Amino acid sequence: MKLIIATIKPFKLEEVREALTNIGVRGMMVSEIKGFGSQSGHTEIYRGAEYAVNFVPKVKLEIVVPANMAEQVVSTIASTAKTEKIGDGKIFVLDVESALRVRTGEMNDDAL
């Protein structure tokens, strides 16, 4: 099993969710986060005052899938979330040692 962690722009969330559902992803966790990467924040003017925005709003997706599905999930997220502008996000893939569905006691792939 693989854990896929993706950070994307918030307005791309619904489009990415639909694309993942269409390829058979059955669940994901979503968190609103703030962060920065290459863009290192920026300045904005609000009511005439300039202020620094050091952290940019993002959405973090956490998805656990069978190992044979990981490449397809990564490519789906990457192609759907891409705007070709700075701040499109990052995707990380990690190994998952085990999974347990609390309600039924199912383990590993069966728990997904």
Side-chain angles (χ1 to χ4, degrees):
M1 294 175 298
K2 300 289 184 179
L3 168 62
I4 299 165
I5 301 171
T7 59
I8 63 172
K9 292 182 175 182
F11 69 89
K12 285 292 198 172
L13 176 60
E14 188 57 27
E15 190 178 344
V16 169
R17 187 202 60 78
E18 286 178 17
L20 290 172
T21 300
N22 289 339
I23 64 165
V25 171
R26 294 176 25 203
M28 70 179 72
M29 294 175 280
V30 178
S31 305
E32 292 181 6
I33 62 170
K34 291 182 181 183
F36 71 91
S38 302
Q39 74 265 35
S40 300
H42 59 280
T43 59
E44 290 185 2
I45 297 176
Y46 179 70
R47 294 188 177 182
E50 186 174 335
Y51 64 99
V53 178
N54 294 318
F55 293 97
V56 180
K58 300 282 184 186
V59 173
K60 179 171 77 169
L61 309 176
E62 296 174 89
I63 307 159
V64 179
V65 295
N68 63 352
M69 244 185 115
E71 190 175 318
Q72 182 183 19
V73 170
V74 168
S75 65
T76 299
I77 294 169
S79 63
T80 309
K82 186 175 187 175
T83 66
E84 297 188 9
K85 295 187 176 137
I86 196 163
D88 273 352
K90 296 267 193 303
I91 302 173
F92 305 99
V93 181
L94 294 81
D95 289 324
V96 173
E97 188 174 314
S98 67
L100 169 72
R101 179 173 296 167
V102 174
R103 178 178 56 87
T104 63
E106 293 169 296
M107 295 288 297
N108 301 325
D109 284 349
D110 292 334
L112 303 179

